Structure formats: C-alpha cells, structure tokens
Amino acid sequence: MAKTDNRNGPTRRTVLEGGVATGVLLATGIPVGAEPADTVAAAASPTPVPTMPMSLRINAKDLAVELDPRTTLLDALRNHLGLTGSKKGCDHGQCGACTVLVDGRRINSCLTLAAMHEGDEITTVEGLAEGDQLHPVQAAFVARDGFQCGYCTPGQICSAVGMLGEARAGWPSHASADVAAASVALTDAEIRERMSGNICRCAAYPNIVAAIRDAAEEA
Amino acid sequence: MQSFTYERAASAEQAAAAVADRPDAKFISGGTNLLDLMKLEIERPAHLVDVSRLPLNRIEETAEGGLRIGAQVRNSDLAADQRVRSRYPMLSQALLAGASGQIRNKASTSGNLLQRTRCPYFYDRNMPCNKREPGAGCAAFQGFNRMHAVLGASEACIAVHPSDMAVAMSGLDARIETISPGGETRTIPIGDFHRLPGAMPHVETVLGHGEMIAAVTLPLPPPGRQVYRKVRDRASYAFALVSVAAIVEKSGDRVQSARIAMGGVAAKPWRATEAERMLAGAAASNGAFTDAAEAALDGAIGHGGNDFKIPLAKRTMRHTLAAAVESA
C-alpha cells in the first residue's frame, strides 16, 4: 500500500524555498551552473528589470537583498527571503493576513515597499517565539483553538501583538466611550473593533477574541 | 504594477524639487492608498519620492493655542495624542472611525487628505471614469451609486472623498501648509483645499505639481462639545455612507454657535454653513436641529442608489447635534 503521507517527499514549503534559492541566485548575479547569470537573465527577460540593493533587518537578522523597487515588503519576505509565515490574502490591505510588526507597530506588509523599510526592525510571525517558547499570544491561540484553516492566523497573531501594545499605551479606539480617558479596558467589544483589520473566512472570531482576551489578562 | 525608480528624500525642499522635476513623479508616504492604486495601474508614477522619513512627524503647540500637525504624523499617533484627545476629541473620533489599526499605523496626515475616492468605477479599468481618464464618461451616474455624492457633484463625476479625518478638520477650520519646489510656502484653508469635480474631476486639490503638504494647523479649539458620528454599512473598517462632525456651543437652552461638516456626501468635506447660520441663537431643540438639517441638504440630488443618503444625512445631523448639546 502506498504511503500517503510521505515525509521525505517534496512539500509545498520545500518547493517554495527552492524557488526562493533560485531567485536569490539570479538576483544576486551568482552564476547558475556553468552559465553566467547575465546570460540566464537575458534569456528570461529581454529588458532586465532594474533592481536596487537594500538591507533589511528581519527577526533580528540583517539581510542584504537586491530587489525590484516594486517589491512589497510581503513579497520580499515570502518570495525572496523564504519567510512564508506572513500570508498573502487580498494583497490590498483589506484582510490583514500579511500583518507584520515594524518597530513594534502592526502594519499591512502588502501595502508597503520593501525599499521603504531599510533600517527598520521588522518582526514576522517567525520571529515572535523565543526558541521553543511560544509568544504568549501564540500560546493563547493554541490553547483557545483560535483558528480553523489557519491561513489568517499569522496575521491575526502579529496584529494582536501590536494591538495589545497599543492598548497598553492607552490608545483609544472607535469602541471607546471617551477618547480622552487615560487607560482602556479591553472588553470583547474593544478587541473586536481593534482587530477589525483582520478577516477570518472560517469565522473563528469567538475563539480569536478569547485567545486575545487571555493574552491581555496574562500580560 | 508599472516599473518605477525610487528615492528617499533628504529634505522637504529636495522632495518638492524632485517631484517638480518630473511630471511622472509622485510623493509616497504611508503608501496605503497609492500602492493599492499602483497595483491596479490606476496610478502609474515612473518615479517615487519617499517623504515618510522627513522630520515632519511632530505635533507642536502653536502661539495661538492650537496645534501644528506635521504632514508625516501617522493617523494612529494623531488619534492617540493626548492633546488631540482632550482638546479636539472629534478629530480623534474621526480618525479612529476610519480604516484599520494596521492602516492607521502607516497612513500619514497629508496622505489622508490626498487619498483618492473609492468609487468602484474609478477602481475598475474596464469601466469609463472621468477621474481616471478625463473625457471617458462616468459609469457611476447610471450605475451602482449607493456610496456616491448628493451634494456638489457634476455630470462628469459623482464620487465622494473618503476621508473621515478631513471632515473633522473641516469642522475645526484647519489650515494646510505647503512647501513648493522653490522653498516658498503657503497656507490653504481646508475649505479651499479640495476641489469640486465640475468638468475636471481628475483635478482634486488646489496643489500644484511638486507642491508638498508640510503641516496641518488647528486653531484654538472652538468652544462647545465636539461629536463625530459615522454611519456605514458595517460596524467597523468601512467607508462612511454619511458622517457628521459637529461642535455646538450652548448658552442656557439656546445654541450660541455651531460648526457642522459632513462626510460621504460630496467630493470634499462639506461644511454646512447655512445650517450653522440658522442655529446661531436658535433654541437647542429638535425642531431647530431638523430645520438646520433640512437647510444643509437643500439642493441635494440623489442618483437612484444613493437617494437614501439625503434623509440619512438629515437624521444623522439631527442626531449628532442633539448628542452634542445633551452632553454640553
């Protein structure tokens, strides 16, 4: 009987990572096989796309890349750096699946250019845990089963981490009765309003809210 | 996305000059609207000048007792500023009613003012749109126009300005400071900043090419209670069908003065000056608020799908005025 779960075969992730390796080789001009890279590039595209060098600091690592200026931060992460945790949902800032933290603040990585983030401290879902120790928000999502298919989850988690920081800083929201109040109580209504930039098509919202409530209380 | 070159501006003057030098250049700051439009090739700049790191990110007290908000102050920082929250609460409320937490963390003060309409026909390159392609025609006029303008529109365009922030700033009589390529500056009252569509809906503001917003100044907070009320199709992260920013100053049971601006009804924040005039000295009563709302929507024209906005705007205004005096 054929083994259906072949752990040694190629997975979607290894295929993606293989593609990334090829892309990096082409982009950085390292010869592929015996053929000079410029020949390869010329064959692939008659008018070479201009690229620019940039250095990005991602999950406490400095990475040098050479990218087309059009590359969004999300595409840089997923297609060029092998960090496929951040997800592409709508690619228009409407779903939140691509949420990452830049200098501790949550943003949509699909709606910003990689080139605009040189010198910034970028944290993706891959950078939240301390070794095997999950970030408290990650642990809360596991404990509360805050997902079904999981596609929106990295964005939900990064967004929640950023949101909890905003709430700790006393930022009001549309759900706050008095915007001038110095502190905020994270009621479920507050959590839902503050997380409205993250869509879950499985509608795991009750458990997402519960996980974030737990993480807020624990902090 | 069309290919472009990118540079990071070293100073405001240099940024203005870099854009002025090339007709196909644009400023980029938060990018939350511009990049979205570039992906759809509705915006096709060949050169981007990144102004997001210019030192225009402070909120400072002015000599007259107001606040000067740097063009690069993020929407989230502006909404969370304690001075804004206590002295201009309607501005915080408006900002917090717009977009999502992620977008507010990116979107700049200047970019919010300059954001473009979310008319579905502007976004759909298969449909005619005078704003996207002057002279092409307007698909919204006879189309799906639930979100569209009832005031100040033209046959060429019935799109609305999508900003909440700008509506509150209109009610607060904000002034917009700009810097031009030669280094000269000018100050534009917010009421004169956005243009009505007329025959040229693609020209949305009075800014020249290369003229850059440096700051928005709020005068001393006006007396009275401020309220921003937004009505939309879902509870969060949606553009306004109608919004009202109101500041009502009460004296006994009469209205001393009122300032009212509406969003979601026109191509610019719509100041209800006639309603303000009627309310000055009037009884702080539902009857007076109803009359003022009627006057504010006098001349409003629906286009089928958005007919409901006219009564909705009147009710929202009455409700907002009542809320402002109740808590005054």
Side-chain angles (χ1 to χ4, degrees):
Chain A
M1 198 169 84
K3 201 177 174 191
T4 50
D5 184 16
N6 180 3
R7 306 293 296 185
N8 299 319
T11 65
R12 200 169 57 87
R13 180 163 298 169
T14 56
V15 169
L16 271 171
E17 283 166 357
V20 166
T22 313
V24 168
L25 289 177
L26 286 173
T28 51
I30 296 167
V32 176
E35 213 168 6
D38 55 353
T39 315
V40 176
S45 160
T47 42
V49 175
T51 58
M52 56 189 287
M54 54 188 93
S55 64
L56 298 171
R57 187 166 170 78
I58 299 168
N59 299 332
K61 277 200 203 99
D62 290 307
L63 303 164
V65 279
E66 175 98 23
L67 297 173
D68 182 331
R70 287 175 289 188
T71 314
T72 62
L73 180 57
L74 176 63
D75 285 344
L77 293 169
R78 289 184 55 83
N79 301 347
H80 299 274
L81 298 166
L83 292 166
T84 55
S86 307
K87 295 293 185 273
K88 186 179 281 193
C90 68
D91 208 25
H92 287 279
Q94 296 171 7
C95 76
C98 67
T99 304
V100 300
L101 299 164
V102 171
D103 295 332
R105 293 188 168 207
R106 54 181 173 155
I107 66 160
N108 300 115
S109 64
C110 76
L111 277 190
T112 193
L113 298 171
M116 297 179 78
H117 290 284
E118 277 198 299
D120 289 342
E121 193 74 46
I122 299 158
T123 306
T124 68
V125 72
E126 290 94 337
L128 288 177
E130 301 270 353
D132 288 338
Q133 186 72 36
L134 290 181
H135 185 282
V137 174
Q138 291 176 307
F141 268 71
V142 173
R144 285 287 191 168
D145 205 14
F147 38 76
Q148 185 172 312
C149 82
Y151 194 80
C152 73
T153 312
Q156 297 277 2
I157 288 174
C158 286
S159 184
V161 171
M163 182 278 274
L164 292 173
E166 294 164 7
R168 272 196 301 276
W171 289 14
S173 85
H174 178 65
S176 310
D178 176 10
V179 292
S183 65
V184 54
L186 271 188
T187 60
D188 285 6
E190 283 279 2
I191 292 171
R192 285 174 180 275
E193 163 60 27
R194 288 164 190 262
M195 291 295 293
S196 71
N198 291 83
I199 309 295
C200 171
R201 287 299 297 269
C202 307
Y205 298 113
N207 293 7
I208 292 170
V209 171
I212 296 172
R213 194 198 308 124
D214 285 356
E217 283 165 5
E218 196 186 310
Chain B
M1 201 187 298
Q2 183 181 286
S3 187
F4 58 83
T5 47
Y6 167 90
E7 72 173 285
R8 195 178 277 187
S11 71
E13 293 78 5
Q14 189 253 321
V19 169
D21 277 351
R22 297 181 56 161
D24 55 2
K26 271 195 172 286
F27 300 110
I28 186 165
S29 176
T32 54
N33 187 217
L34 181 59
L35 283 169
D36 188 25
L37 292 167
M38 284 168 65
K39 287 180 184 189
L40 300 165
E41 300 200 345
I42 294 162
E43 293 273 14
R44 280 166 293 186
H47 185 63
L48 285 182
V49 178
D50 181 357
V51 296
S52 65
R53 301 196 187 219
L54 293 178
L56 301 170
N57 59 349
R58 285 188 300 277
I59 305 171
E60 296 162 321
E61 303 277 346
T62 64
E64 62 172 348
L67 290 177
R68 184 172 185 275
I69 303 156
Q72 295 309 320
V73 171
R74 304 289 128 185
N75 286 180
S76 53
D77 288 318
L78 185 56
D81 186 276
Q82 198 54 255
R83 295 162 295 183
V84 175
R85 283 154 67 183
S86 55
R87 284 149 59 185
Y88 306 93
M90 143 176 133
L91 178 56
S92 277
Q93 290 167 9
L95 284 158
L96 295 169
S100 66
Q102 289 97 316
I103 287 179
R104 289 191 296 269
N105 272 339
K106 261 275 162 200
S108 65
T109 305
S110 49
N112 189 314
L113 289 170
L114 294 171
Q115 67 178 303
R116 309 203 65 192
T117 188
R118 294 329 194 270
C119 171
Y121 302 104
F122 174 67
Y123 267 75
D124 184 349
R125 291 173 61 213
N126 296 309
M127 301 298 279
C129 171
N130 288 318
K131 195 183 270 300
R132 178 165 30 78
E133 196 186 331
C138 171
F141 214 83
Q142 308 254 309
F144 181 80
N145 50 36
R146 176 175 173 77
M147 298 301 291
H148 290 73
V150 293
L151 289 165
S154 70
E155 284 193 11
C157 184
I158 58 171
V160 295
H161 195 268
S163 174
D164 291 291
M165 181 195 82
V167 177
M169 285 182 171
S170 167
L172 293 165
D173 285 325
R175 299 186 299 269
I176 295 158
E177 294 173 25
T178 70
I179 181 159
S180 287
E184 59 273 25
T185 58
R186 67 166 169 157
T187 300
I188 306 161
I190 192 165
D192 299 337
F193 182 78
H194 295 102
R195 292 180 72 263
L196 287 177
M200 295 196 298
H202 60 292
V203 185
E204 295 171 354
T205 71
V206 298
L207 293 182
H209 183 68
E211 187 175 7
M212 189 181 80
I213 298 175
V216 175
T217 300
L218 303 177
L220 195 70
R225 165 89 179 186
Q226 304 176 15
V227 178
Y228 186 75
R229 170 87 172 161
K230 178 176 181 177
V231 182
R232 42 187 160 172
D233 276 335
R234 61 182 184 210
S236 187
Y237 202 13
F239 290 98
L241 293 167
V242 163
S243 71
V244 175
I247 311 171
V248 184
E249 180 194 7
K250 231 170 66 163
S251 174
D253 53 7
R254 306 202 81 79
V255 173
Q256 184 82 16
S257 69
R259 298 181 191 210
I260 309 163
M262 286 186 281
V265 294
K268 60 187 282 185
W270 194 266
R271 194 68 184 260
T273 46
E274 179 59 19
E276 294 175 6
R277 198 192 56 73
M278 285 172 64
L279 283 171
S285 67
N286 261 324
F289 299 154
T290 302
D291 292 346
E294 286 293 334
L297 274 298
D298 188 34
I301 298 168
H303 304 281
N306 66 348
D307 291 349
F308 75 99
K309 277 195 178 184
I310 300 170
L312 180 65
K314 291 176 188 172
R315 288 193 211 114
T316 307
M317 186 177 296
R318 198 174 61 217
H319 175 98
T320 311
L321 291 168
V325 296
E326 263 166 34
S327 45

